[in-house]
Amino acid sequence: MLFFFLLLCKYFFFILFMRRIATIIGTTGVGKSQLGVELCKALHGQVINADSMQVYKGLDVITNKMPIHERQGIRHHLMDFLEPEEEYKVTEFKQDATDCIEKLSNDQQFPVIVGGTNYYIQSLLWHNMLIKDNHIEQQRSPSPEPATSPELENLDTNELHARLQKFDPIMANRWHPSDRRKIMRSLQIYYQTGRPQSEIIKEQQEHHDTHGMQSRFKSLIFWLYAEPTKLNPRLDERVDKMIETGLFDEIKSLRNKVVEGNVQIPGQDLEKYQRGLWQAIGYKEFDPYFTAIETNDTSEQELEKIRKECTERMKSATRRYAKRQVQWIRNKLLPIVNKSEDVDIFLLDATDLDAWDSNVRNKAIDIATAFWENKPLPDATSLGSVAASLLSPSSKTMDSQTRVLTWQKHTCHTCRTQTGEPLILHGDLEWKQHVTSRSHRKGLKRRSNDIERAKRMKNNDSTASPPLTTTTAEETTVTSPSSSSSSSS
């Protein structure tokens, strides 16, 4: 009885003295950094950066850092401290950010997390979101990661996928066969822990189902949202402004360091643009332009054409990234928030920049003040029709663990690859897009015509060979994780 009493006391002590933090999320171009400064000014706080690109020294333009003069004297932590050749693991961020929160809270300062790196935010706010790695190094690792086996680095992507299929068929089924980075990560987890990643994910899911989503802090989340029709032109303008204010100088400087051997890009092929600083939108997109400059055999007219094409690539990549950020919030973050008792989320409409102070700044300060003073908070869906619509739980939304474990591949027997094999679609979304595509509809029509032609031939030729066996035009084979697993045994 005494044990349970002490356990109960410990629980209430934890709830009562839980550290309070605010977190600002949303796409680029909605004023996250500005709101972070405004909250800190109003509530005596400091900003903790949660953008994986802004941890790097310098490179202020390509990483979209807030200019010093716009920070208005508010201190920003975990920013401008990493060299370009280094990688900052999510486990390192989690520890560093936690240390910052503890220090600021002890000093009676309000920690305000500002960021756009989704898995950083998720790992910081909740327990048991990361696969524990007993081989984490204390020192930051230069690229490529020491944890990566040289043997794996030397294998091509198809061989890596085949090996993952042997050790963890569920994750092999989950990743696209050409996604080298994710395939490598799943293999690294297997070699470092001795267990398949899917098994660990299932264990995490069972823990969450039994104990609920356990938050690490008493958290207030502000989701800054803008309608895509208004946001996308702003994003395009931002790219133009980045070019005007020094983007090319930063890219040129980085490329020179790579050529001189001072900096090593990690990975092979496309993977080298998926790790560390090299993920920053702009570096990969302008590679053709700078390559053309460096070869010095391209006319001015052709060079200008390439420059415009690369600019449009960067704008498209920025718009796609903004779309993915919203999808992550709706499909991954909200289901977790809805299962958490100590995390509240409020959507603030940043569509109209002229009304940003009234729609975003003032509302956020009022809510954060009530949160900091432990007063009742308003109903999140009462802040407008957009908030009511986007924050309403969807019965179709799955948490990330369930999404991985129930992932399916689809095989379309109507459409074929260039080698004549049935077309493989990865995941329900890709399949849904495919069956509504123009090429698939053409394939269905072609197949239907073939079947009709076969029927006519049969009717016209009584001495024809036995009837042609046909299948439905929409025939699909679904490969589920369980069937994938059994087939590999």
Side-chain angles (χ1 to χ4, degrees), residues 24-35 51 54 61 63-66 70 114-116 223-239 241-242 281 318-319 321-323 325-326 348-354 356 360:
I24 303 171
I25 61 174
T27 66
T28 186
V30 291
K32 296 192 301 292
S33 299
Q34 184 179 345
L35 181 59
D51 187 308
Q54 294 183 3
V61 178
T63 60
N64 271 311
K65 289 192 192 115
M66 190 181 204
E70 292 183 13
V114 180
W223 173 14
L224 273 56
Y225 176 82
E227 292 288 346
T229 54
K230 295 293 180 65
L231 176 65
N232 288 340
R234 296 210 302 253
L235 299 179
D236 289 348
E237 290 174 10
R238 170 172 283 203
V239 171
K241 187 176 180 181
M242 290 171 70
I281 296 175
T318 303
R319 294 192 297 268
Y321 180 59
K323 184 178 180 180
Q325 286 176 306
V326 172
L348 302 174
D349 192 348
T351 301
D352 184 358
L353 291 183
D354 292 332
W356 192 88
V360 178

Side-chain angles (χ1 to χ4, degrees), residues 50-261:
D51 187 308
S52 64
M53 296 295 99
Q54 294 183 3
V55 299
Y56 291 97
K57 293 179 182 177
L59 305 167
D60 295 351
V61 178
I62 197 170
T63 60
N64 271 311
K65 289 192 192 115
M66 190 181 204
I68 297 291
H69 69 274
E70 292 183 13
R71 300 178 196 178
Q72 301 182 53
I74 299 299
R75 186 173 178 186
H76 285 57
H77 299 268
L78 304 187
M79 186 179 282
D80 269 321
F81 68 93
L82 214 62
E83 297 296 339
E85 67 272 14
E86 294 181 310
E87 292 186 61
Y88 193 44
K89 299 176 185 176
V90 62
T91 47
E92 294 172 323
F93 165 77
K94 178 181 175 182
Q95 185 59 57
D96 292 345
T98 300
D99 292 343
C100 283
I101 291 170
E102 288 297 317
K103 185 178 185 306
L104 292 177
S105 299
N106 289 337
D107 294 340
Q108 298 300 305
Q109 300 244 4
F110 189 27
V112 179
I113 317 298
V114 180
T117 302
N118 304 331
Y119 56 91
Y120 275 19
I121 300 291
Q122 197 166 302
S123 69
L124 180 65
L125 298 190
W126 286 277
H127 286 286
N128 202 34
M129 297 303 293
L130 296 175
I131 294 176
K132 294 179 176 62
D133 184 358
N134 295 326
H135 303 274
I136 293 171
E137 308 231 342
Q138 294 300 315
Q139 308 233 332
R140 307 197 193 286
S141 56
S143 307
E145 292 181 339
T148 302
S149 165
E151 181 197 0
L152 294 181
E153 287 281 13
N154 294 328
L155 295 177
D156 66 36
T157 305
N158 288 335
E159 291 174 311
L160 289 173
H161 190 259
R163 184 170 295 198
L164 183 60
Q165 183 70 46
K166 176 182 177 182
F167 295 130
D168 193 347
I170 292 178
M171 296 311 297
N173 184 61
R174 173 65 175 87
W175 305 135
H176 194 284
S178 63
D179 196 332
R180 182 181 181 87
R181 181 176 65 90
K182 291 179 180 177
I183 293 170
M184 282 277 278
R185 179 58 184 151
S186 293
L187 283 171
Q188 287 171 357
I189 289 170
Y190 175 78
Y191 283 120
Q192 291 172 3
T193 66
R195 302 173 63 198
Q197 183 182 8
S198 57
E199 182 181 301
I200 299 173
I201 290 174
K202 185 177 181 180
E203 189 177 273
Q204 287 177 327
Q205 184 188 39
E206 291 172 349
H207 177 87
H208 294 155
D209 290 342
T210 304
H211 303 285
M213 299 303 302
Q214 297 173 308
S215 55
R216 303 181 67 235
F217 309 98
K218 183 77 174 174
S219 301
L220 173 66
I221 301 176
F222 289 115
W223 173 14
L224 273 56
Y225 176 82
E227 292 288 346
T229 54
K230 295 293 180 65
L231 176 65
N232 288 340
R234 296 210 302 253
L235 299 179
D236 289 348
E237 290 174 10
R238 170 172 283 203
V239 171
D240 291 332
K241 187 176 180 181
M242 290 171 70
I243 293 172
E244 293 171 7
T245 55
L247 174 66
F248 287 178
D249 290 337
E250 290 186 354
I251 295 176
K252 194 182 303 180
S253 174
L254 276 174
R255 290 175 72 92
N256 288 340
K257 289 179 180 178
V258 173
V259 171
E260 293 165 0

Side-chain angles (χ1 to χ4, degrees), residues 205-420:
Q205 184 188 39
E206 291 172 349
H207 177 87
H208 294 155
D209 290 342
T210 304
H211 303 285
M213 299 303 302
Q214 297 173 308
S215 55
R216 303 181 67 235
F217 309 98
K218 183 77 174 174
S219 301
L220 173 66
I221 301 176
F222 289 115
W223 173 14
L224 273 56
Y225 176 82
E227 292 288 346
T229 54
K230 295 293 180 65
L231 176 65
N232 288 340
R234 296 210 302 253
L235 299 179
D236 289 348
E237 290 174 10
R238 170 172 283 203
V239 171
D240 291 332
K241 187 176 180 181
M242 290 171 70
I243 293 172
E244 293 171 7
T245 55
L247 174 66
F248 287 178
D249 290 337
E250 290 186 354
I251 295 176
K252 194 182 303 180
S253 174
L254 276 174
R255 290 175 72 92
N256 288 340
K257 289 179 180 178
V258 173
V259 171
E260 293 165 0
N262 297 326
V263 174
Q264 182 183 359
I265 299 180
Q268 302 177 16
D269 304 322
L270 289 178
E271 186 199 6
K272 65 186 180 183
Y273 298 120
Q274 297 173 341
R275 285 166 56 179
L277 171 65
W278 316 100
Q279 301 171 77
I281 296 175
Y283 189 86
K284 174 181 69 175
E285 286 71 20
F286 276 99
D287 182 70
Y289 175 65
F290 283 96
T291 299
I293 292 177
E294 290 159 2
T295 54
N296 202 26
D297 60 357
T298 308
S299 68
E300 287 295 326
Q301 186 177 3
E302 183 64 22
L303 205 57
E304 182 60 23
K305 179 185 175 184
I306 296 173
R307 181 182 183 275
K308 288 180 179 179
E309 290 173 350
C310 292
T311 301
E312 185 52 44
R313 281 198 198 102
M314 183 174 177
K315 290 178 178 179
S316 298
T318 303
R319 294 192 297 268
R320 288 196 303 271
Y321 180 59
K323 184 178 180 180
R324 289 199 304 271
Q325 286 176 306
V326 172
Q327 289 173 337
W328 173 79
I329 293 170
R330 297 194 67 182
N331 298 332
K332 293 188 177 181
L333 184 71
L334 286 181
I336 300 175
V337 172
N338 292 334
K339 294 179 182 178
S340 306
E341 295 181 0
D342 299 300
V343 181
D344 294 288
I345 187 168
F346 291 86
L347 183 146
L348 302 174
D349 192 348
T351 301
D352 184 358
L353 291 183
D354 292 332
W356 192 88
D357 279 352
S358 57
N359 291 343
V360 178
R361 176 188 177 276
N362 297 344
K363 288 181 180 179
I365 290 176
D366 289 344
I367 295 170
T369 301
F371 171 78
W372 186 245
E373 296 175 354
N374 200 25
K375 293 179 180 178
L377 301 180
D379 179 358
T381 59
S382 69
L383 298 186
S385 58
V386 176
S389 172
L390 293 180
L391 292 179
S392 298
S394 170
S395 58
K396 297 180 181 179
T397 303
M398 292 185 288
D399 59 71
S400 55
Q401 284 98 352
T402 302
R403 191 181 300 273
V404 168
L405 295 173
T406 59
W407 182 268
Q408 293 179 334
K409 285 183 182 178
H410 300 266
T411 302
C412 178
H413 294 279
T414 298
C415 303
R416 302 277 167 169
T417 65
Q418 291 181 342
T419 59

